[in-house]
């Protein structure tokens, strides 16, 4: 449970703040201080040994919150900051955990609740990206897990999506997050991060879709590229659990899609969102023919309860399409 490849080398220093959005610089400084405090707490413990068969005294509560919640719209760099906190916290990698909400629930499913508590209780920090407030059952499960971990002295940091029906101005709802994690809310400090989607800030418009021929040529030319008809890909996703989408993407150097069309229903759309996230994590360029990515989701979807997920997917797929432009150019040169 470490930051994904896209965020493997990020830091607070290479987070580019927008001078017009002072909340970004303020968030960086607050997270730097949080990481430093975690290091100070470790020093104060004096390197005590863990014991298998007797309970240690809980660490003394220190000043300041035990958790940080990054509240902001899509594309303001919340995952970059969350990963930077993971990197900056002075602890061995095996004492820090980073994962999405889905990955955390998968861990509970694989190990069982009590074993997950035991596994993570020895950690200094747990970072949770994309806390899923739209799944009540899993939210209660993870909220209970986090309560056990806080009791064991584990520091927390999280970002989240919004609840269905909460249609803010491209923002995530801090109040919803704090309410859903129930008794833990007092332990979190909320950091509001304003700004526009950095993936489009000052960049040219997204490249137009290519022809089927261009996409197919590129797929055959690029080692490790995949080539799929978009409807067939959507059908395949329905047969694979979303928790496996990351493994499905491993080793893929480029994704080439022909015949992209608007997705037919919400279940399909939500599966595509997960795939887009996993491709973005792994920096896999996407070359496609058919409709532009900003036409994937219907107006009804973009105005509904999952709108922020869909806008995030459009933003990330557009960035990956921009990354794939060189593949199309090289294909034309042949």
């Amino acid at each position: 449970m470490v930051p994904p490849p896209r965020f493997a080398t990020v830091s607070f220093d290479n987070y580019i703040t927008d001078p017009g959005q002072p909340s970004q610089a303020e968030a960086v400084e607050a997270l730097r201080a949080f990481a430093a405090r975690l290091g100070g707490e470790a020093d104060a413990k004096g390197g005590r040994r863990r014991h298998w068969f007797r309970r240690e005294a809980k660490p003394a509560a220190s000043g300041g919150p035990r958790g940080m919640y990054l509240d902001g719209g899509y594309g303001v760099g919340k995952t970059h900051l969350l990963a930077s906190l993971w990197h900056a916290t002075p602890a061995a990698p095996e004492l820090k955990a980073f994962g999405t909400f889905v990955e955390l629930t998968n861990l509970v499913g694989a190990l069982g609740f009590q074993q997950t508590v035991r596994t993570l209780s020895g950690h200094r920090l747990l970072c949770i990206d994309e806390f899923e407030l739209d799944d009540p059952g899993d939210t209660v499960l993870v909220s209970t897990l986090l309560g056990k971990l806080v009791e064991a002295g584990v520091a927390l940091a999280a970002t989240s999506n919004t609840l269905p029906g909460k249609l803010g101005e491209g923002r995530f709802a801090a109040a919803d997050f704090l309410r859903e994690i129930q008794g833990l809310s007092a332990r979190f400090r909320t950091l509001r991060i304003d700004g526009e989607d950095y993936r489009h800030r000052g960049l040219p418009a997204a490249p137009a879709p290519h022809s089927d021929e261009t996409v197919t040529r590129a797929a055959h030319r690029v080692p490790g590229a995949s080539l799929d008809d978009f409807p067939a890909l959507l059908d395949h996703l329905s047969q694979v659990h979303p928790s496996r989408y990351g493994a499905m993407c491993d080793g893929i150097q480029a994704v080439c899609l022909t015949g992209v069309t608007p997705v037919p229903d919400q279940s399909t759309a939500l599966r595509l969102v997960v795939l887009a996230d996993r491709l973005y994590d792994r920096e896999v360029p996407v070359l496609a023919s058919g409709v532009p990515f900003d036409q994937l989701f219907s107006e009804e979807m973009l105005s509904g309860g999952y709108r922020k997920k869909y806008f995030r997917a459009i933003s990330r797929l557009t960035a990956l399409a921009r990354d794939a432009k060189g593949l199309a150019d090289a294909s034309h040169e042949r």
Side-chain angles (χ1 to χ4, degrees), residues 13-98:
D13 291 335
N14 58 31
Y15 176 79
I16 302 174
T17 58
D18 183 346
Q21 303 290 350
S23 62
Q24 295 182 5
E26 291 167 4
V28 169
E29 291 311 306
L31 290 169
R32 283 187 192 273
F34 187 64
R37 182 161 62 82
L38 295 182
E41 290 178 0
D43 293 340
K45 293 175 185 177
R48 292 179 302 162
R49 295 182 180 273
R50 293 174 59 87
H51 299 278
W52 289 106
F53 300 110
R54 65 180 176 86
R55 185 185 299 273
E56 285 187 324
K58 294 177 183 176
S62 59
R66 293 301 303 166
M68 302 292 268
Y69 170 68
L70 310 187
D71 174 41
Y74 48 88
V76 297
K78 299 186 303 300
T79 302
H80 183 129
L81 290 174
L82 192 66
S84 297
L85 173 64
W86 188 93
H87 290 299
T89 297
E94 60 269 21
L95 296 180
K96 302 180 286 187
F98 185 105

Side-chain angles (χ1 to χ4, degrees), residues 125-145:
L125 173 69
L126 171 62
C127 296
I128 309 170
D129 201 19
E130 301 167 17
F131 201 104
E132 296 281 354
L133 294 177
D134 47 33
D135 189 324
D138 282 348
T139 299
V140 172
L141 171 71
V142 174
S143 178
T144 305
L145 171 64

Side-chain angles (χ1 to χ4, degrees), residues 34-210:
F34 187 64
R37 182 161 62 82
L38 295 182
E41 290 178 0
D43 293 340
K45 293 175 185 177
R48 292 179 302 162
R49 295 182 180 273
R50 293 174 59 87
H51 299 278
W52 289 106
F53 300 110
R54 65 180 176 86
R55 185 185 299 273
E56 285 187 324
K58 294 177 183 176
S62 59
R66 293 301 303 166
M68 302 292 268
Y69 170 68
L70 310 187
D71 174 41
Y74 48 88
V76 297
K78 299 186 303 300
T79 302
H80 183 129
L81 290 174
L82 192 66
S84 297
L85 173 64
W86 188 93
H87 290 299
T89 297
E94 60 269 21
L95 296 180
K96 302 180 286 187
F98 185 105
T100 64
F101 179 89
V102 171
E103 289 169 334
L104 188 59
T105 57
N106 289 342
L107 184 66
V108 176
L111 300 182
F113 183 83
Q114 295 300 333
Q115 183 59 44
T116 302
V117 172
R118 288 191 289 269
T119 298
L120 295 177
S121 288
H123 285 59
R124 192 168 303 167
L125 173 69
L126 171 62
C127 296
I128 309 170
D129 201 19
E130 301 167 17
F131 201 104
E132 296 281 354
L133 294 177
D134 47 33
D135 189 324
D138 282 348
T139 299
V140 172
L141 171 71
V142 174
S143 178
T144 305
L145 171 64
L146 298 186
K148 297 289 187 182
L149 297 180
V150 168
E151 288 178 3
V154 181
L156 308 172
T159 71
S160 80
N161 61 35
T162 191
L163 285 166
K166 301 294 185 180
L167 307 181
E169 294 300 316
R171 296 190 46 73
F172 294 81
D176 292 335
F177 173 80
L178 296 176
R179 183 178 64 249
E180 291 301 315
I181 60 173
Q182 302 172 7
L184 288 173
S185 60
R187 299 179 182 271
F188 276 82
R189 174 184 173 185
T190 298
L191 297 179
R192 176 169 173 165
I193 306 169
D194 297 305
E196 61 179 308
D197 187 342
Y198 79 92
R199 287 179 282 268
H200 306 307
R201 192 188 305 158
L203 294 174
H210 303 278

Side-chain angles (χ1 to χ4, degrees), residues 171-252:
R171 296 190 46 73
F172 294 81
D176 292 335
F177 173 80
L178 296 176
R179 183 178 64 249
E180 291 301 315
I181 60 173
Q182 302 172 7
L184 288 173
S185 60
R187 299 179 182 271
F188 276 82
R189 174 184 173 185
T190 298
L191 297 179
R192 176 169 173 165
I193 306 169
D194 297 305
E196 61 179 308
D197 187 342
Y198 79 92
R199 287 179 282 268
H200 306 307
R201 192 188 305 158
L203 294 174
H210 303 278
S211 67
D212 287 350
E213 293 76 14
T214 296
V215 173
T216 301
R217 282 199 304 268
H220 287 293
R221 186 184 60 82
V222 177
S226 65
L227 176 62
D228 293 282
D229 177 62
F230 189 67
L233 173 64
L234 297 183
D235 181 65
H236 181 66
L237 293 181
S238 70
Q239 302 171 45
V240 180
H241 192 277
S243 65
R244 299 294 300 162
Y245 289 4
M248 190 170 68
C249 298
D250 288 342
I252 299 294

